[in-house]
Coordinates of all heavy atoms in Angstrom, one line a residue:
S5 N -13.2 2.8 -8.9 CA -13.3 2.9 -7.5 C -13.4 4.4 -7.0 O -14.0 4.7 -6.1 CB -12.1 2.2 -6.8 OG -10.9 2.8 -7.3
G6 N -12.7 5.3 -7.8 CA -12.7 6.7 -7.4 C -11.8 6.9 -6.2 O -11.5 6.0 -5.4
G7 N -11.3 8.1 -6.0 CA -10.4 8.4 -4.9 C -9.0 8.0 -5.1 O -8.7 7.1 -6.0
Q8 N -8.1 8.6 -4.4 CA -6.7 8.3 -4.5 C -6.3 7.1 -3.6 O -6.8 7.0 -2.5 CB -5.8 9.5 -4.1 CG -5.9 10.7 -5.1 CD -5.0 10.5 -6.3 OE1 -4.1 9.6 -6.2 NE2 -5.2 11.3 -7.3
I9 N -5.4 6.3 -4.1 CA -4.9 5.2 -3.3 C -3.3 5.4 -3.2 O -2.7 5.6 -4.2 CB -5.1 3.8 -4.0 CG1 -6.6 3.6 -4.1 CG2 -4.5 2.7 -3.2 CD1 -6.9 2.3 -4.9
Q10 N -2.9 5.5 -2.0 CA -1.4 5.7 -1.8 C -0.8 4.3 -1.6 O -1.1 3.5 -0.7 CB -1.2 6.5 -0.5 CG -1.9 7.9 -0.5 CD -1.5 8.8 -1.6 OE1 -0.3 8.8 -1.9 NE2 -2.4 9.6 -2.1
L11 N 0.2 4.1 -2.5 CA 0.9 2.8 -2.4 C 2.4 3.0 -2.1 O 3.0 4.0 -2.4 CB 0.8 2.1 -3.8 CG -0.5 1.6 -4.3 CD1 -0.4 1.0 -5.7 CD2 -1.1 0.6 -3.4
A12 N 2.9 2.0 -1.4 CA 4.3 2.0 -1.0 C 4.8 0.5 -1.1 O 4.1 -0.4 -0.7 CB 4.6 2.6 0.3
A13 N 6.0 0.3 -1.7 CA 6.6 -1.0 -1.8 C 8.1 -0.9 -1.5 O 8.7 0.0 -2.0 CB 6.3 -1.6 -3.1
Q14 N 8.6 -1.9 -0.8 CA 10.0 -1.9 -0.5 C 10.6 -3.3 -0.9 O 10.1 -4.3 -0.5 CB 10.3 -1.7 1.0 CG 11.8 -1.8 1.4 CD 12.6 -0.6 0.8 OE1 12.2 0.6 1.1 NE2 13.7 -0.9 0.1
F15 N 11.5 -3.3 -1.9 CA 12.1 -4.5 -2.3 C 13.4 -4.7 -1.6 O 14.4 -4.0 -1.8 CB 12.4 -4.4 -3.9 CG 11.1 -4.3 -4.7 CD1 10.5 -3.1 -4.9 CD2 10.6 -5.4 -5.2 CE1 9.3 -3.0 -5.6 CE2 9.4 -5.4 -6.0 CZ 8.8 -4.1 -6.2
G16 N 13.5 -5.8 -0.8 CA 14.7 -6.1 0.0 C 15.6 -6.9 -0.8 O 15.3 -7.6 -1.8
G17 N 16.8 -7.0 -0.4 CA 17.8 -7.8 -1.0 C 17.8 -9.2 -0.7 O 18.5 -10.1 -1.3
N18 N 17.1 -9.6 0.4 CA 17.1 -11.0 0.9 C 15.7 -11.7 0.5 O 15.1 -12.3 1.4 CB 17.3 -11.0 2.4 CG 16.3 -10.2 3.1 OD1 15.6 -9.3 2.5 ND2 16.3 -10.3 4.4
F19 N 15.2 -11.5 -0.7 CA 14.0 -12.1 -1.2 C 12.8 -11.7 -0.3 O 12.0 -12.5 0.1 CB 14.1 -13.6 -1.2 CG 15.2 -14.1 -2.1 CD1 16.4 -14.7 -1.6 CD2 15.1 -14.0 -3.5 CE1 17.4 -15.1 -2.4 CE2 16.2 -14.4 -4.3 CZ 17.3 -15.0 -3.8
A20 N 12.7 -10.4 0.1 CA 11.7 -9.9 0.9 C 11.0 -8.8 0.2 O 11.6 -8.0 -0.6 CB 12.2 -9.5 2.2
L21 N 9.7 -8.6 0.4 CA 8.9 -7.6 -0.3 C 7.9 -7.1 0.8 O 7.1 -7.9 1.4 CB 8.2 -8.1 -1.5 CG 7.2 -7.2 -2.2 CD1 7.9 -6.0 -2.7 CD2 6.5 -7.9 -3.3
E22 N 7.8 -5.8 1.0 CA 6.9 -5.2 1.9 C 6.0 -4.2 1.1 O 6.4 -3.4 0.3 CB 7.6 -4.4 3.0 CG 8.4 -5.2 3.9 CD 9.1 -4.4 5.0 OE1 8.9 -3.2 5.0 OE2 9.8 -5.0 5.8
L23 N 4.7 -4.4 1.3 CA 3.7 -3.6 0.6 C 2.8 -2.8 1.6 O 2.4 -3.4 2.7 CB 2.8 -4.5 -0.2 CG 3.4 -5.3 -1.4 CD1 2.5 -6.2 -2.0 CD2 4.0 -4.3 -2.4
A24 N 2.4 -1.6 1.3 CA 1.5 -0.8 2.1 C 0.6 0.0 1.1 O 1.0 0.5 0.1 CB 2.3 0.1 3.0
A25 N -0.7 0.1 1.5 CA -1.7 0.8 0.7 C -2.7 1.5 1.7 O -3.0 1.0 2.7 CB -2.5 -0.1 -0.2
K26 N -3.1 2.7 1.3 CA -4.0 3.5 2.1 C -5.0 4.1 1.1 O -4.7 4.8 0.2 CB -3.2 4.6 2.8 CG -4.1 5.4 3.8 CD -3.3 6.4 4.6 CE -4.1 7.1 5.6 NZ -3.3 8.1 6.4
Y27 N -6.3 3.8 1.4 CA -7.4 4.3 0.6 C -8.3 5.2 1.4 O -9.1 4.8 2.2 CB -8.2 3.0 0.2 CG -9.2 3.3 -1.0 CD1 -9.9 2.2 -1.5 CD2 -9.3 4.5 -1.6 CE1 -10.7 2.4 -2.6 CE2 -10.1 4.7 -2.7 CZ -10.8 3.6 -3.2 OH -11.7 3.8 -4.3
E28 N -8.0 6.5 1.2 CA -8.7 7.6 2.0 C -10.2 7.6 1.8 O -10.9 7.8 2.8 CB -8.1 8.9 1.6 CG -6.6 9.1 1.9 CD -6.4 9.4 3.4 OE1 -7.4 9.5 4.1 OE2 -5.2 9.5 3.8
A29 N -10.7 7.3 0.6 CA -12.1 7.4 0.4 C -12.9 6.4 1.3 O -14.1 6.7 1.7 CB -12.4 7.1 -1.1
Y30 N -12.3 5.3 1.6 CA -13.0 4.3 2.4 C -12.4 4.0 3.7 O -12.7 3.1 4.5 CB -13.1 2.9 1.6 CG -14.0 3.0 0.4 CD1 -13.5 3.3 -0.8 CD2 -15.3 2.7 0.5 CE1 -14.3 3.4 -1.9 CE2 -16.2 2.7 -0.6 CZ -15.7 3.1 -1.8 OH -16.5 3.1 -2.9
H31 N -11.4 4.9 4.1 CA -10.7 4.8 5.4 C -10.2 3.4 5.6 O -10.3 2.9 6.7 CB -11.7 5.2 6.5 CG -12.3 6.6 6.4 ND1 -11.6 7.7 6.6 CD2 -13.6 6.9 6.0 CE1 -12.4 8.7 6.4 NE2 -13.6 8.3 6.0
A32 N -9.6 2.9 4.5 CA -9.0 1.6 4.6 C -7.5 1.6 4.4 O -7.0 2.5 3.7 CB -9.7 0.7 3.5
S33 N -6.8 0.7 5.0 CA -5.4 0.6 4.8 C -4.9 -0.9 4.8 O -5.6 -1.8 5.3 CB -4.6 1.4 5.9 OG -4.9 0.8 7.1
L34 N -3.8 -1.1 4.2 CA -3.2 -2.5 4.2 C -1.7 -2.4 4.4 O -1.1 -1.6 3.8 CB -3.6 -3.1 2.8 CG -2.9 -4.5 2.5 CD1 -3.4 -5.6 3.4 CD2 -3.0 -4.8 1.0
L35 N -1.2 -3.4 5.2 CA 0.2 -3.5 5.4 C 0.5 -5.0 5.4 O 0.0 -5.7 6.2 CB 0.6 -2.9 6.7 CG 2.1 -2.9 7.1 CD1 2.9 -2.1 6.1 CD2 2.3 -2.4 8.5

């Protein structure tokens, strides 16, 4: 794919998971 992808994940104690991603090369993001 090329380019840097910034990832973030938070593991909660109550069976919860939060994910975030930012792809600068394609100006795309995910939450």
Side-chain angles (χ1 to χ4, degrees):
S5 58
Q8 290 278 346
I9 301 176
Q10 304 297 326
L11 293 178
Q14 179 70 52
F15 295 83
N18 55 347
F19 302 109
L21 174 63
E22 295 181 1
L23 298 173
K26 188 175 183 180
Y27 198 176
E28 294 283 358
Y30 291 91
H31 304 286
S33 61
L34 170 69
L35 180 62

